[in-house]
């Protein structure tokens, strides 16, 4: 009898890595990256404003007052330097105009015509997202083996990726055994129960990122059990329930051996579920 942890180690030791395949960006969600992915450019690509406010040169600030001489929306660009003592109204995400190194939020100013007065102390360099703050060109953004969550998908999109190499989702055969079992939807008969285990396992396979292959129910017959297991070997992994204890009609172990398999462990130190 082995511990649960040892059983897990044995299973992992005999689990091979599935090959990567090219998939679209959204198809990569929930998969595992099959390659290292490096940033093709700095993100952000340029210094930009982190707030809706006013951009100016802090060194040229006199008496906390500035003349507003322009407007720069997100997506816009200004190539002409902002004169000393002047400011440009700037929106969040807009690139910093030449000659400016600080942004003050709109709500921290008072406007009178084309002149603004700064309320309180503004530190130089405030409210600016610097070029490369998120990642620098050439840096490893995502390492091979990383689970691709929404965060990683967003990062890949920001890098201009439309596809990527991700390991193939495992196809997992799910097989139930037992004469007492009926498929969901069948009329319940005396002595029979509905096969719920297969659907619980299949749901866990889906949740873990795999693709369940429902194999149905094998009757308590050696030939039926063998045939169902054989069909399940088309999948990457086969999970069966029932038929592994010491009953007269428990044929799973025999079928595995007949098909050239090897029993790496049988009993696990847990309750319920010791014969596994």
């Amino acid at each position: 009898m082995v511990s649960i942890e040892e059983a897990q180690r044995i299973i992992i030791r005999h689990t091979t890595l599935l090959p990567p395949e090219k998939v679209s960006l959204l198809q990569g969600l929930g998969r595992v990256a099959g390659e290292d992915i490096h940033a093709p450019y700095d993100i952000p690509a340029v210094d930009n404003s982190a707030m809706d406010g006013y951009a100016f040169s802090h060194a040229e600030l006199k008496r906390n007052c500035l003349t507003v001489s322009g407007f720069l929306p997100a997506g816009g660009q200004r190539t002409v330097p902002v004169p000393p003592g002047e400011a440009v109204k700037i929106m969040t995400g807009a690139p910093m105009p030449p000659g400016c190194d600080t942004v003050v939020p709109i709500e921290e100013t008072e406007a009178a015509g084309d002149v603004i007065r700064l309320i309180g102390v503004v530190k130089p360099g405030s409210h600016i997202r610097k070029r490369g703050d998120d990642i620098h060109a050439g840096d490893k953004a995502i390492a091979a083996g990383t689970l691709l969550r929404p965060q990683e998908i967003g990062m890949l999109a920001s890098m201009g990726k439309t596809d990527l190499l991700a390991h193939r989702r495992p196809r997992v055969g799910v097989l139930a055994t037992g004469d007492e079992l009926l498929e969901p939807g069948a009329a319940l008969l005396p002595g029979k129960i509905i096969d719920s285990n297969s659907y619980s396992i299949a749901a866990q396979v889906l949740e873990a990122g795999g693709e369940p292959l429902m194999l149905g129910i094998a009757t308590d017959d050696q030939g039926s059990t063998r045939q169902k297991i054989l069909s399940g070997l088309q999948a990457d992994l086969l999970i069966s329930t029932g038929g592994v204890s010491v009953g007269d009609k428990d044929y799973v172990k025999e079928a595995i051996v007949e098909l050239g398999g090897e029993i790496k462990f049988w009993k696990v130190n847990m309750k319920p579920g010791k014969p596994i």
Side-chain angles (χ1 to χ4, degrees):
M1 191 183 307
V2 300
S3 66
I4 294 173
E5 292 76 19
E6 178 59 19
Q8 290 172 332
R9 284 192 289 269
I10 292 170
I11 291 170
I12 291 171
R13 232 178 8 247
H14 292 86
T15 299
T16 55
L17 195 63
L18 293 173
E21 60 183 358
K22 183 166 283 190
V23 298
S24 68
L25 193 57
L26 285 179
Q27 286 177 329
L29 181 65
R31 297 199 188 195
V32 172
E35 61 180 341
D36 292 339
I37 302 172
H38 296 81
Y41 40 71
D42 292 336
I43 302 175
V46 296
D47 293 356
N48 66 86
S49 177
M51 300 288 285
D52 293 337
Y54 299 92
F56 60 96
S57 169
H58 194 278
E60 301 297 333
L61 179 63
K62 308 298 182 185
R63 298 187 304 278
N64 274 18
C65 288
L66 294 162
T67 300
V68 180
S69 60
F71 173 66
L72 188 56
Q77 188 176 20
R78 175 168 172 148
T79 57
V80 178
V82 177
E86 296 186 8
V88 168
K89 191 172 187 179
I90 192 169
M91 297 294 100
T92 303
M96 291 294 293
C100 296
D101 61 7
T102 303
V103 171
V104 58
I106 291 174
E107 56 267 31
E108 295 180 13
T109 65
E110 291 179 344
D114 61 354
V115 175
I116 59 168
R117 184 175 71 84
L118 279 56
I119 303 170
V121 177
V122 180
K123 295 180 179 179
S126 296
H127 305 298
I128 294 177
R129 292 187 291 228
K130 291 290 188 179
R131 175 176 178 169
D133 260 359
D134 291 342
I135 194 165
H136 291 286
D139 286 352
K140 186 188 295 184
I142 295 174
T146 299
L147 177 65
L148 298 172
R149 305 165 299 168
Q151 299 94 304
E152 283 75 24
I153 297 299
M155 171 62 80
L156 290 167
S158 72
M159 290 161 43
K161 297 282 285 184
T162 59
D163 54 41
L164 71 152
L165 281 178
H167 289 284
R168 181 167 62 76
R169 294 185 185 277
R171 294 186 297 269
V172 182
V174 181
L175 172 64
T177 66
D179 286 341
E180 76 279 13
L181 297 177
L182 295 171
E183 292 283 2
L188 195 58
L189 301 173
K192 303 289 187 177
I193 59 173
I194 301 296
D195 171 27
S196 59
N197 281 348
S198 292
Y199 289 84
S200 175
I201 291 170
Q204 292 178 73
V205 169
L206 282 169
E207 190 175 51
E211 299 175 355
L213 174 62
M214 304 298 283
L215 300 173
I217 300 168
T219 59
D220 286 329
D221 171 82
Q222 189 167 357
S224 172
T225 303
R226 185 181 185 279
Q227 188 57 43
K228 286 285 190 181
I229 290 177
L230 184 60
S231 66
L233 295 182
Q234 300 172 32
D236 302 301
L237 173 69
L238 171 61
I239 300 176
S240 66
T241 57
V244 295
S245 191
V246 293
D248 292 340
K249 293 189 175 183
D250 288 339
Y251 295 117
V252 171
K253 288 193 297 178
E254 291 180 22
I256 289 172
V257 174
E258 284 179 9
L259 292 169
E262 181 182 350
I263 308 299
K264 295 295 182 181
F265 63 86
W266 175 34
K267 293 181 179 180
V268 176
N269 187 18
M270 64 181 185
K271 187 183 288 188
K274 180 172 71 173
I276 185 172

